[in-house]
Amino acid sequence: MPSGRTRQFDADEALDRALAVFWLRGYEGATLPELTRAMGINRPSLYAAFGNKEQLFHKALERYQTGPMAFLTEALRLPTARAVVEAIFSGFVRMQRDCDKVRGCLVVSGALASSEEAEPVRRELAQLRQALVTAFRKRFERAVRDGDLPAGTDCATLARYIGTVLSGLAVQAASGATEKELRRVSALALQALPS
């Protein structure tokens, strides 16, 4: 005989709904009542299935990275630095177009400003943004070794630049910039790539 009650909701679907709330409201702005309402569950079910709010946020963030932001991993595998950067920018713009209710980037806006209690979340998101810049730098260093980028390219600054443009696109998207406007900014940023 099974012990305890069986779960009466789809955990993946509930997590997707929690992700949408966090993406829209940020970590601190997302309240437990709003999360449980969106997820279609009560607090005890949330705690039993996902842990506390911070644990739920971590699970939603993982889902975000392997779902809407998966284009980054795919982009880094492309054969040239230019193709990588083009795919990063176009993937981000496509993500904005494909999302119904949320715009911007959870990793950028999730906890830029936060209270002392949310400081661990703010630090984690800052580390994720830095890890992305590090991944860009390593990819550009490989491009230099392969002769795809000129010798002497400042890969660290180029990576920081691409990360900064990507963050700026996120802020602009969250502020209502159109797909056309985001694509124009991306095209302009591509001109900074060394050739």
Side-chain angles (χ1 to χ4, degrees), residues 168-185:
L169 288 172
V171 171
Q172 289 297 308
S175 301
T178 66
E179 181 179 347
K180 184 177 181 180
E181 290 168 332
L182 296 175
R183 288 196 185 283
R184 284 178 145 172
V185 171

Side-chain angles (χ1 to χ4, degrees), residues 31-195:
T31 65
L32 282 175
E34 184 177 22
L35 286 163
T36 56
R37 189 169 46 254
M39 296 167 77
I41 60 176
N42 59 28
R43 276 191 198 201
S45 294
L46 184 149
Y47 294 137
F50 301 104
N52 63 24
K53 180 181 171 183
E54 186 174 336
Q55 291 166 320
L56 174 62
F57 181 79
H58 291 300
K59 289 179 172 96
L61 189 56
E62 288 170 12
R63 175 67 57 99
Y64 180 72
Q65 292 173 288
T66 58
M69 294 295 283
F71 68 86
L72 287 171
T73 303
E74 296 165 13
L76 289 167
R77 294 185 187 126
L78 292 173
T80 66
R82 179 165 293 281
V84 167
V85 176
E86 286 174 347
I88 288 168
F89 291 155
S90 66
F92 179 81
V93 173
R94 203 171 40 256
M95 180 181 79
Q96 300 307 304
R97 183 190 63 216
D98 295 344
C99 293
D100 292 338
K101 298 176 183 168
V102 290
R103 297 197 37 132
C105 175
L106 177 61
V107 177
V108 172
S109 62
L112 283 177
S114 58
S115 67
E116 194 173 305
E117 293 83 31
E119 181 59 20
V121 170
R122 188 203 63 75
R123 272 196 316 271
E124 179 183 8
L125 293 176
Q127 288 168 351
L128 283 173
R129 290 189 299 271
Q130 182 54 49
L132 189 57
V133 170
T134 300
F136 293 163
R137 178 185 51 78
K138 288 178 179 177
R139 180 60 187 86
F140 296 148
E141 287 170 350
R142 189 178 102 204
V144 169
R145 286 192 305 275
D146 294 346
D148 177 43
L149 286 176
T153 296
D154 184 345
C155 295
T157 300
L158 181 59
R160 177 77 54 198
Y161 172 74
I162 298 303
T164 300
V165 172
L166 193 57
S167 294
L169 288 172
V171 171
Q172 289 297 308
S175 301
T178 66
E179 181 179 347
K180 184 177 181 180
E181 290 168 332
L182 296 175
R183 288 196 185 283
R184 284 178 145 172
V185 171
S186 300
L188 185 61
L190 278 167
Q191 293 178 21
L193 284 179
S195 53

